[in-house]
Amino acid sequence: MSPELKAGLRGQFRYTVPANKTVPHLYPELAEFREMPEVFATGFLVGLMEGACQLVIKPYLDWPREQSVGTHVDFSHLAATPPGLTVTVESEVIAVDGRKVTFRARAHDGHDLISEGTHERMVIDAARFAQRLQGKRAAAAGG
């Protein structure tokens, strides 16, 4: 992790919402979702916000050896966005505490502010993380 990873770093990411990122496509196993309006799903919005934050810090990591995983999200979903609109996410690092990086982020669809809030990510060593996951898989499989 570079010592240049610090508060004040900013980024912007644009994403045009496709039809397959609407509520009916979020967990299609749930009939209730399939019956809902075709608007950008909160679950996909949260993923977009996380991804935009990750992109801000990626240049300051020894990628792919170092990566980051989301550990906390606190985002509102303020307005519906139909497919075809472009969402712009602006994110800023507001704190770095060891391996924990905290962000403030907001998203706009060209008409409305659709989300704002905070997000935390933890910088990880990808190999060690994969080892721990393998151990968890083995334990779950009874081995």
Side-chain angles (χ1 to χ4, degrees):
M1 202 167 91
S2 168
E4 297 299 310
L5 174 52
K6 54 189 172 187
L9 296 173
R10 295 172 184 249
Q12 187 179 81
F13 185 75
R14 287 186 174 84
Y15 180 77
T16 301
V17 177
N20 69 353
K21 296 296 186 251
T22 60
V23 178
H25 297 277
L26 183 69
Y27 291 103
E29 305 86 349
L30 297 175
E32 294 76 10
F33 280 160
R34 289 193 315 267
E35 297 168 2
M36 293 187 68
E38 289 192 38
V39 294
F40 195 29
T42 302
F44 291 126
L45 172 63
V46 168
L48 180 66
M49 302 285 278
E50 278 197 84
C53 290
Q54 181 176 10
L55 290 173
V56 172
I57 64 171
K58 183 180 174 187
Y60 302 91
L61 304 179
D62 182 16
W63 192 274
R65 187 184 68 76
E66 290 180 318
Q67 298 178 13
S68 68
V69 294
T71 56
H72 185 85
V73 293
D74 184 10
F75 294 125
S76 58
H77 194 167
L78 303 168
T81 301
L85 292 187
T86 298
V87 173
T88 301
V89 180
E90 296 175 343
S91 52
E92 177 184 5
V93 174
I94 58 172
V96 177
D97 182 12
R99 295 181 306 118
K100 182 173 84 170
V101 183
T102 306
F103 301 83
R104 180 176 27 248
R106 54 188 288 134
H108 199 283
D109 67 10
H111 297 273
D112 295 304
L113 176 66
I114 64 168
S115 182
E116 61 184 347
T118 58
H119 175 46
E120 292 176 0
R121 300 190 70 76
M122 187 68 67
V123 175
I124 61 160
D125 178 287
R128 278 196 308 225
F129 192 84
Q131 272 185 326
R132 280 192 228 113
L133 280 181
Q134 186 56 36
K136 194 170 188 175
R137 284 186 191 103

